[in-house]
Amino acid sequence: MDTELRDLFAFLAVVRAGGFREGARGSGMSASRLSESVRRLEAHLGVRLLHRTTRHVAPTEAGQRLAERLSPALGEVQSALDVVNHYRDRPAGTLRLNVPATVARLVLPAIVTPFLKAYPDIRLEVIVEDSFVDVLAAGCDAGIRYDERLEKDMIAVPIGPRMQRMATAAAPAYLEARGRPRHPRDLLQHACLRGQFASGAIPTWEFERKGEILRVDPDGPLLVRLGASVDLAVAAALDGLGIIHLFEAWLQPHLDSGALVPLLKPWWQAFSGPYLYYPGRKHLPAPLRAFVDFVRAAANGHA
């Protein structure tokens, strides 16, 4: 086969990233080199693989079919090459993780620095994405999600705190002006700061007490995209605009300082912490194997 392997990798990087500049960030190649590789591959195959405009790059039907077949095949090639890593003194390479914003904010800060200090030859790329994704199709080695959103047929390893809670809170100024809710249903009469998934769905606020689960769908003056714009909702809550319902750990500094007052605390719902998940391969890439071992050691108090 005359087609160069690096051209295939370049094409797949562009498709996964949705553009040449975006693909360059994750591939270690410049955008111009990626473009040259794709043009060379198209000339060799005699078919257009990408639709290109000034604002958008998308695979043609032929390009999409090729990408679907290349993804697992080139994954196996990378795994085969990674075997050499086992003969090094220290594992090296790039580890790509796909995580939601809550994990990037609340879980990874305690893990990333000690991990990278322990493995200085590993480069970690963190892609923050709150929607449900196929981590392999997205070009990632592993993902972190909560159990209700884990992909099937994956190995899951607990990571971070094993129990988390949702907290409800408001600024003292808001409570002075509007009063304090005594029951979750009282929130229907209050200004609430809501979040929205990328799909457009607005999750209800869920509460639990003595086995009773209660869901409410309050209204309010502000709606933000979950993950990307949550800090805007927190700032609005601090300014007294309304009541916020968010991860307890996210609000904890403001609860500790008194800038936010906890509300309905007996109803705060607890849930299990997130999991690192990855495909069950016989040979894991060395950076991923190092990360899995590090997370497991941290859970056992040995990291």
Side-chain angles (χ1 to χ4, degrees):
M1 183 178 70
D2 296 330
T3 302
E4 293 191 21
L5 200 57
R6 64 185 174 188
D7 292 346
L8 297 175
F9 276 109
F11 164 70
L12 198 56
V14 173
V15 171
R16 284 172 169 172
F20 289 97
R21 283 184 296 181
E22 295 81 358
R25 296 190 188 105
S27 67
M29 298 174 63
S30 66
S32 60
R33 286 189 62 192
L34 285 177
S35 179
E36 180 183 344
S37 290
V38 172
R39 283 198 300 268
R40 186 164 52 237
L41 181 60
E42 288 178 324
H44 175 73
L45 297 177
V47 63
R48 180 176 291 276
L49 299 174
L50 297 176
H51 294 299
R52 303 167 176 83
T53 69
T54 55
R55 295 185 177 182
H56 187 61
V57 173
T60 63
E61 183 178 354
Q64 185 62 42
R65 294 292 299 275
L66 178 60
E68 290 170 357
R69 298 294 295 272
L70 278 179
S71 186
L74 293 185
E76 288 300 316
V77 170
Q78 288 177 318
S79 295
L81 294 174
D82 191 68
V83 169
V84 176
N85 244 328
H86 296 287
Y87 295 92
R88 295 171 52 93
D89 293 333
R90 299 183 302 196
T94 299
L95 171 62
R96 295 182 178 88
L97 297 179
N98 189 290
V99 309
T102 51
V103 167
R105 176 73 176 253
L106 305 177
V107 176
L108 288 184
I111 297 173
V112 166
T113 298
F115 171 71
L116 292 178
K117 284 184 176 179
Y119 297 97
D121 294 332
I122 291 178
R123 178 174 183 262
L124 178 63
E125 293 183 11
V126 179
I127 295 90
V128 178
E129 197 165 16
D130 284 275
S131 58
F132 185 79
V133 296
D134 180 334
V135 291
L136 294 182
C140 297
D141 300 292
I144 301 177
R145 290 294 188 275
Y146 289 86
D147 54 3
E148 76 276 8
R149 306 196 76 190
L150 291 177
E151 295 183 33
K152 295 180 179 179
D153 303 322
M154 291 279 183
I155 295 175
V157 177
I159 184 172
R162 296 325 308 142
M163 191 60 65
Q164 294 180 283
R165 289 196 303 179
M166 297 297 291
T168 309
Y174 175 87
L175 299 177
E176 289 174 9
R178 298 288 300 270
R180 177 189 291 262
R182 302 295 177 182
H183 189 277
R185 293 192 187 92
D186 295 343
L187 294 170
L188 298 175
Q189 307 304 319
H190 282 267
C192 295
L193 311 174
R194 302 294 301 276
Q196 182 181 41
F197 289 123
S199 65
I202 302 174
T204 57
W205 288 4
E206 193 164 300
F207 299 87
E208 185 173 2
R209 183 180 184 184
K210 296 179 180 179
E212 178 188 1
I213 295 178
L214 186 64
R215 297 177 180 87
V216 296
D217 190 16
D219 199 4
L222 180 65
L223 178 68
V224 302
R225 177 67 59 85
L226 287 171
S229 304
V230 169
D231 281 330
L232 178 60
V234 174
L238 292 169
D239 288 339
L241 185 64
I243 295 174
I244 192 166
H245 184 72
L246 191 60
F247 283 76
E248 180 183 8
W250 203 311
L251 299 180
Q252 194 64 57
H254 307 300
L255 296 171
D256 291 341
S257 70
L260 291 178
V261 177
L263 304 173
L264 306 170
K265 198 166 184 178
W267 286 90
W268 288 5
Q269 188 179 53
F271 51 93
S272 61
Y275 292 84
L276 171 71
Y277 71 100
Y278 54 92
R281 304 173 185 167
K282 185 176 180 181
H283 299 292
L284 289 182
L288 177 56
R289 168 51 63 195
F291 190 70
V292 170
D293 292 343
F294 186 87
V295 167
R296 284 179 167 152
N300 293 326
H302 302 310

